[in-house]
Amino acid sequence: MSIVVVGSVAFDTVITPYGRVDEALGGAATYFAVAASYFCPVKVVAVVGDDFGAEHEAVLLTRGVDTSGIERVPGRTFRWGGEYSRNLNERKTLFTELNVFETFAPVLPAEFRNTPYVFLANIAPQLQQSVLEQVEKPELVALDTMNYWIEGSLDALKTTLRQVDILIINDEEARELSGAYNLVEAAEAIRVLGPASVIIKRGEHGATAFLKYGVFTVPGFPLRQLADPTGAGDTFAGGFMGHLASTGDHSMEGLRRAIVAGSVLASFCVESFSLDGIQGLGSEQIASRYGEFQALTRFDDI
Ligand code: AMP
C-alpha cells in the first residue's frame, strides 16, 4: 500500500550543542517521506521555490519517492531556523520564513487521490481539511500539528480531527490540546475529539501510544552519539506509517511493530544533522536496531 504525505519541504538552519547546519534540506514532508520510503511507496504533496534544485529533489528520488505532487512556484522555498539547548528537548525557533509556503494550497494530482494511507504533516488545519476533501475514502489518516495551530486555529483543528484515525503529537502539544497535564487523561480527552488512537512523542523518552486496544510504550533508544533532533517526530511518523502501510496489519501487534519501526528510524535521525542519518540505511541496519529495541524492553515473568 502507498502513502501520500502533505507538508513542508524546507531549508533548515539548525544549531545544537554538537554543531550547526545552514540551509540544509529539511521540512516535515521530507523527513516523513524518506523514513516511510524504507517500507512502502510514498508520494509527496508540497510547494518549493526556484532555489529547490535537482540535488535537493535527488534526495527524495533516490529513495524512490514520487515527487510529481511537489509544486514549483517562483520565489524562495520555506526556511526555518532553530536552536537547541543542552538537553535537546528544548528548542527555540530562531526564524520562520514562509516564502512560497505562505500561499500554499495543496492540490493532489488525480492519480494521488485514491492513495489508501494519508499523512497530514504539520500545516494549517484548514489545509489539512482541504486535503481530506480531495482524497477518496482513505483506509487510514494520521495527522500531526503544533502549538501554533492549537492556540490560533482550535476550531478548525477540531473539525479536521473528527476525520482522523491517528493523531501523532508531542507531549506538550497533547497537554495543550486537551487541557490535561496527565498524559493518560490528555489522550482520553483527545480521543473524544475523533482519533481512535493517539501517539504521544516524548523526545528522548520515546513514545507512548494510546491505541483503541490498549496502551503501548517504547523507550527512546539510548544513543551515545547525538547530533540534531530536528525532524525526529516526522521521521517517527514516517517509519510508523510506512511500516503499517507495508503490512496492512492494524491489530495491536501490528501497531506495536510499526511504533517500534518509527522509533528505529527516529533514532537514526538524531544521530546526524539534517537528513544524513536516514539516507542510505540498509535493511540490515534497520533490522538490527529493531532487535536492539526488542532486547532493551524484554523481561521475564516475575
Ligand atoms: P520537528 O523537529 O518534528 O518539529 O520538525 C522540524 C521540521 O519542521 C523542520 O525541518 C522544519 O523545516 C519544519 N517546520 C518548522 N516549522 C514549521 C511550520 N511552521 N510549518 C511547517 N513546517 C515547519
Side-chain angles (χ1 to χ4, degrees), residues 239-251:
F240 165 71
M241 262 191 107
H243 192 274
L244 207 55
S246 76
T247 64
D249 180 358
H250 298 189
S251 68

Side-chain angles (χ1 to χ4, degrees), residues 14 25 41-42 63 68 70 80 84 102 108 137 211 272 291:
V14 176
L25 183 62
V42 191
R63 291 292 326 140
S68 62
I70 300 183
W80 175 81
Y84 291 83
E102 192 157 10
L108 269 64
K137 291 201 195 71
L211 308 168
S272 304

Side-chain angles (χ1 to χ4, degrees), residues 157-287:
L157 179 60
K158 284 185 172 171
T159 303
T160 309
L161 281 176
R162 280 189 223 125
Q163 289 170 264
V164 167
D165 302 296
I166 304 180
L167 178 65
I168 306 176
I169 53 174
N170 73 32
D171 41 10
E172 286 316 311
E173 292 155 356
R175 290 182 171 123
E176 196 163 354
L177 177 58
S178 64
Y181 188 82
N182 178 297
L183 292 180
V184 178
E185 284 176 17
E188 278 167 8
I190 293 169
R191 290 175 70 192
V192 171
L193 301 176
S197 300
V198 180
I199 303 179
I200 301 181
K201 298 170 285 182
R202 299 164 52 225
E204 65 176 322
H205 304 299
T208 299
F210 297 86
L211 308 168
K212 57 183 170 188
Y213 313 103
V215 183
F216 178 59
T217 282
V218 63
F221 193 77
L223 293 167
R224 180 172 291 280
Q225 182 196 316
L226 294 168
D228 173 15
T230 305
D234 308 301
T235 300
F236 170 88
F240 165 71
M241 262 191 107
H243 192 274
L244 207 55
S246 76
T247 64
D249 180 358
H250 298 189
S251 68
M252 182 67 174
E253 291 313 313
L255 288 163
R256 287 162 76 117
R257 280 190 285 268
I259 289 164
V260 179
S263 307
V264 165
L265 268 293
S267 73
F268 285 118
C269 177
V270 300
E271 284 183 305
S272 304
F273 278 86
S274 183
L275 291 141
D276 293 356
I278 56 167
Q279 286 180 73
L281 289 171
S283 53
E284 64 295 337
Q285 274 174 288
I286 293 174

